[in-house]
Structure formats: structure tokens, C-alpha cells
Amino acid sequence: MTDEPDDLSDQPPLVQALLLARYTLVIHSGMRAVSEGETWKLDFASQIAEIDAALQTAGIDTTKPMFAPVKW
């Protein structure tokens, strides 16, 4: 195992989509949301676990870092 981040472009489109969804959920999980005067903490742990299970079934190492999905 290497510490080099995964490049999304090296993966099939379905895996790219799951990795992007996982990245987005990880970044936003734990943030505070405010609506109509109510505040709560976002928790996407169960969704992240489901995506991890699907990716691991496909043989993708979800413990490796990945590049941030930045469009240049």
C-alpha cells in the first residue's frame, strides 16, 4: 500500500462517482446546519459506511487518500 492519493481518472465511471460521493459526504459530515432558527450537526456516517462497503466489494481501498475533486 502506498500513501500516494488515488487519481479518480484512473477508475471506471461508477467507481469515480462513488468516490466523489464519499469525498463529499466525508467533507460535510460533522458540519452544523441552520434552518428556521434550528441548528443541528450533519451526520453521514451510515451513508459513508454503505459507500465504503460497496467500494471494498469492488476491490477499492477506501483507506487511501484521494485527490480533491478540483476542476481546473
Side-chain angles (χ1 to χ4, degrees):
M1 182 160 115
T2 175
D3 287 340
E4 185 67 25
D6 277 338
D7 187 355
L8 282 179
S9 64
D10 294 340
Q11 301 294 339
L14 180 60
V15 172
Q16 287 181 27
L18 286 171
L19 286 170
L20 181 59
R22 182 183 187 278
Y23 179 87
T24 304
L25 290 174
V26 167
I27 293 300
H28 290 91
S29 195
M31 287 185 168
R32 298 234 177 254
V34 179
S35 178
E36 298 180 6
E38 297 289 324
T39 302
W40 67 95
K41 185 177 174 182
L42 300 175
D43 182 6
F44 298 113
S46 64
Q47 291 83 2
I48 293 166
E50 287 182 41
I51 292 172
D52 283 353
L55 288 168
Q56 289 165 2
T57 299
I60 304 299
D61 182 1
T62 58
T63 64
K64 284 180 71 172
M66 65 177 270
F67 288 112
V70 177
K71 298 208 183 224
W72 297 101

